[in-house]
Amino acid sequence: PEKEGVNLGLSGALAAESNTFNGTLIKYSEPPEARKPKIKWRLYVFKGEEELPILYIHRQSAYLCGRDRKVADIPLDHPSCSKQHAALQYRLVSYTRDDGTTGRRVTPYVMDLGSANGTFVNNNKIESQKYVQLLEKDVLKFGFSSREYVLLHDQSKEEEEDLGVD
């Protein structure tokens, strides 16, 4: 039998080593354009009518959402949620101002990490493994959990009170 040649291909073992946290291989790695946001973003969490504690999500550039509490920044406890379900990622992206000039800003995105039961933005299931831009007041849901995560920041305007004046 002929001897197998030397395989100089990448095994992925080093990458796996660098992407392990608390002994768990992380399915997600941050992109080069990852940045911490300057805006103090928050997730307001609702379970039906009940408001749960606010999640402050401006202190790091990415947040892993999932059922595996060893690695998740945002724990999802519903059985329909995957261990590593989704990632919130802030990215430095270009945009066009109203006057036609371009600028760059740090913008929130969500990515479903191939979860079994999906990630939803405003009740629309998002495609897995693709960044989806998030806007203020967007509502995130994970799997079949009834919890709703509403994205707001510290400058979010309270809705004007309806004064009932005609």
Side-chain angles (χ1 to χ4, degrees), residues 97-117:
R97 298 187 184 96
D98 293 338
D99 65 5
T101 60
T102 57
R104 286 157 59 128
R105 62 178 159 212
V106 177
T107 306
Y109 286 80
V110 65
M111 180 190 283
D112 181 88
L113 301 176
S115 69
N117 296 306

Side-chain angles (χ1 to χ4, degrees), residues 1 12 14 19 25 41 62 91 105 135 137 144 148 161 163:
L14 284 174
N19 220 19
L25 182 62
W41 288 102
R91 303 167 68 203
R105 62 178 159 212
L135 301 171
K137 300 194 177 117
F144 304 128
E148 299 190 321
E161 291 294 316
L163 302 175

Side-chain angles (χ1 to χ4, degrees), residues 94-156:
S94 299
Y95 72 101
T96 305
R97 298 187 184 96
D98 293 338
D99 65 5
T101 60
T102 57
R104 286 157 59 128
R105 62 178 159 212
V106 177
T107 306
Y109 286 80
V110 65
M111 180 190 283
D112 181 88
L113 301 176
S115 69
N117 296 306
T119 299
F120 300 81
V121 177
N122 303 326
N123 289 321
N124 297 309
K125 187 173 186 176
I126 65 170
E127 203 179 325
S128 183
Q129 306 297 343
K130 284 221 166 90
Y131 286 115
V132 174
Q133 185 178 341
L134 295 174
L135 301 171
E136 184 184 358
K137 300 194 177 117
D138 275 353
V139 179
L140 287 167
K141 292 182 80 172
F142 302 99
F144 304 128
S145 170
S146 62
R147 287 186 185 195
E148 299 190 321
Y149 298 79
V150 182
L151 184 70
L152 295 169
H153 55 70
D154 60 350
Q155 273 99 47
S156 295

Side-chain angles (χ1 to χ4, degrees), residues 69-87:
R69 284 181 169 266
K70 288 207 308 275
V71 296
D73 300 300
I74 298 173
L76 306 175
D77 291 330
H78 198 270
S80 69
C81 295
S82 298
K83 285 182 180 171
Q84 295 180 42
H85 194 99

